[in-house]
Amino acid sequence: MENFNFYSPTFFAFGKERENECGELVTRFGGRKVLIHYGGGSVIRTGLLDRVRASLEKASIPYIELGGVKPNPRSGLVYEGIELCKKEAVDFILAVGGGSVIDSAKAIAAGTLYDGDFWDFYEGKAAITKALPVGTVLTISAAGSEGSPDSVITKEEGMLKRGAGSDFLRPKFSVLNPALTQTLPAYQTACGITDIIAHLYERYLTNTKDVEVTDRMIEALILAMITEGPKVVSNPDDYEARANIMWAGMMAHNNSCGVGRSQDWTSHGIEHELSALYDCAHGAGLAVTMPAVFTYNMKHDVMRFAQIAVRVWGCQMDFANPCNTAKAGIEALRSFLISIGMPKNFKELGADEADIERLAHTCCYGDGSGSGTIGGFTPLSQSDVEAIYRLML
Ligand code: NZQ
Ligand code: ZN
């Protein structure tokens, strides 16, 4: 195991009706003037926004609002939010929604206390050294942003989707009420489950030896997704299954399963180009990307793929030819994702073969700031990435 730092200070308020405690939680973490940030309207339709407002009012906390965050959140609204927070002297941001809303809130939080262009953080030109405190009320189990130090934003100019990370972006508190996810369409639920599984695979694919504890934690969480996932896709009101998935989504990405080991993140790098260009759901993009990446990278460490195939997917170990076991594990993952309603190829995702060269180039070089290779498991060049996109056809 490698040396590591792990700082995860988020307070989690988990369970039914906990959103009614927002006012107390904001007070507890020092907020005196709040920006409520939300998405395209689900929180209005479900009545959640009204409950959050009422809770702040009960605690006598003044607030302003900025809605309209789109899935794959854009830089334009972040600039608007930064201006608003400065003008209105906001000192706490409350994100009510999914990963997109939370990521947008984190970008505004860092940008408000920065003199330059907030995009500097996403291009790697500047490090985040301070941010306004952020709280969250999560409405979809997926991105893990409710416990993570990360934020992913798409810059409209060039549709460049990039991430920034800092412990300053970890939420001060997150309200996790599984019942809030019961209004999700089955497709979005399945996209979330896929993203959770992807966060676990990105950490499982490591070059660090002897990381049995985190290996076993990852395996346990994927196994739970395999049993709980189909329950909520077929029965949206299954509170207990939703509760398990919600906590797994947080555990999968606050990095408790990723400490002390190298990580991969190839599938995310390749997928982010797809959701930037085609505006598909991140989880749907990952469902198509992961099997292709794993097939391409399998030879780098066949035994790692064979291990997860046996321990998680219940495949028989073929000692004479472990490649067969590794492949069977990847096929089992693919079949599972299709069974919960995820797309299986480029076409179903709405992607176009003619864009492959451009996608691979942006993936490796960005707008000039990229290094030319991606991936922590095995470095991949533009031609490797092109080959992976072709496997998705
Ligand atoms: O905008 P509204 O109307 O709220 O609708 C949303 C949106 O259309 C809807 N939705 C959310 N909760 C709902 C609901 N509809 C009905 N009932 C509810 N309870 O679902 C749609 C998707 O929401 P979104 O926030 O985009 O989903 P998700 O949480 O999957 O976030 C995706 C974004 O997170 C980034 C992705 O790249 C993508 O941009 N990621 C962020 C990470 C992080 N910060 O740590 C890590 C991830 O790997 C990921 O890259
Ligand atoms: Zn993800």
Side-chain angles (χ1 to χ4, degrees):
M1 201 187 294
E2 296 167 8
N3 290 0
F4 65 85
N5 295 322
F6 184 55
Y7 177 70
S8 179
T10 308
F11 179 97
F12 294 100
F14 191 101
K16 292 174 185 166
E17 299 177 10
R18 302 298 302 271
E19 63 274 15
N20 298 329
E21 296 169 38
C22 276
E24 292 158 39
L25 288 165
V26 169
T27 304
R28 174 175 176 159
F29 291 98
R32 295 154 71 105
K33 171 102 187 251
V34 170
L35 172 72
I36 303 180
H37 200 34
Y38 61 93
S42 71
V43 298
I44 297 172
R45 288 193 300 279
T46 59
L48 173 62
L49 188 60
D50 280 340
R51 296 201 294 284
V52 169
R53 286 172 180 146
S55 178
L56 293 181
E57 283 159 20
K58 196 171 160 214
S60 305
I61 298 169
Y63 60 87
I64 56 170
E65 296 180 7
L66 179 64
V69 180
K70 292 186 177 146
N72 306 313
R74 309 299 150 85
S75 55
L77 197 68
V78 173
Y79 289 114
E80 213 180 297
I82 291 169
E83 285 314 306
L84 198 58
C85 285
K86 286 181 177 168
K87 187 168 140 251
E88 298 282 341
V90 164
D91 65 6
F92 197 100
I93 305 183
L94 184 55
V96 185
S100 295
V101 172
I102 300 173
D103 285 3
S104 182
K106 288 175 173 178
I108 295 170
T112 300
L113 300 188
Y114 180 61
D115 286 336
D117 181 348
F118 93 92
W119 190 254
D120 290 351
F121 302 131
Y122 293 76
E123 277 193 314
K125 280 190 188 163
I128 296 169
T129 54
K130 53 189 169 180
L132 289 179
V134 172
T136 88
V137 181
L138 185 66
T139 61
I140 171 172
S141 310
S145 193
E146 67 276 14
S148 86
D150 306 312
S151 158
V152 184
I153 300 291
T154 300
K155 186 181 173 185
E156 277 100 336
E157 191 193 341
M159 293 310 274
L160 206 59
K161 187 174 187 181
R162 289 294 178 267
S166 160
D167 279 336
F168 293 101
L169 296 186
R170 290 200 190 248
K172 295 290 173 221
F173 71 81
S174 283
V175 171
L176 306 184
N177 174 358
L180 297 179
T181 66
Q182 288 174 356
T183 53
L184 277 165
Y187 182 76
Q188 286 295 345
T189 295
C191 286
I193 290 163
T194 307
D195 195 17
I196 293 169
I197 292 175
H199 295 161
L200 295 162
Y201 263 93
E202 298 283 20
R203 293 177 166 91
Y204 202 81
L205 298 177
T206 185
N207 295 312
T208 313
K209 303 290 174 214
D210 302 320
V211 282
E212 188 67 1
V213 168
T214 40
D215 268 4
R216 292 293 188 181
M217 287 168 69
I218 293 170
E219 291 160 7
L221 288 166
I222 300 178
L223 279 164
M225 290 303 95
I226 295 169
T227 58
E228 303 308 287
K231 288 185 195 169
V232 291
V233 171
S234 61
N235 177 13
D237 296 330
D238 187 335
Y239 176 86
E240 296 302 334
R242 292 233 180 241
N244 278 290
I245 292 170
M246 193 165 236
W247 192 239
M250 200 295 296
M251 296 274 287
H253 200 45
N254 83 333
N255 210 31
S256 44
C257 299
V259 292
R261 53 196 291 151
S262 71
Q263 303 179 11
D264 186 14
W265 300 98
T266 298
S267 297
H268 271 69
I270 290 179
E271 190 295 312
H272 281 163
E273 300 311 325
L274 297 171
S275 46
L277 192 59
Y278 306 112
D279 209 15
C280 56
H282 172 59
L286 286 167
V288 177
T289 305
M290 276 191 287
V293 169
F294 302 164
T295 303
Y296 195 82
N297 276 350
M298 202 181 73
K299 289 206 166 53
H300 175 67
D301 186 349
V302 170
M303 289 312 289
R304 186 132 276 271
F305 284 99
Q307 176 175 296
I308 198 165
V310 171
R311 291 183 180 180
V312 169
W313 297 104
C315 302
Q316 281 292 323
M317 184 66 201
D318 183 339
F319 290 98
N321 191 353
C323 258
N324 287 338
T325 312
K327 275 187 204 156
I330 297 167
E331 283 316 307
L333 167 69
R334 192 199 305 270
S335 303
F336 173 78
L337 297 174
I338 293 170
S339 77
I340 59 170
M342 287 291 90
K344 59 176 176 297
N345 56 33
F346 237 48
K347 197 170 160 212
E348 288 184 12
L349 204 58
D352 186 346
E353 184 178 355
D355 293 327
I356 285 182
E357 195 183 330
R358 169 185 171 192
L359 286 163
H361 185 271
T362 320
C363 183
C364 294
Y365 295 97
D367 56 0
S369 53
S371 66
T373 59
I374 62 154
F377 191 47
T378 178
L380 301 174
S381 65
Q382 183 181 335
S383 63
D384 295 314
V385 174
E386 277 185 38
I388 290 170
Y389 281 124
R390 291 198 188 286
L391 285 177
M392 301 182 207
L393 293 173

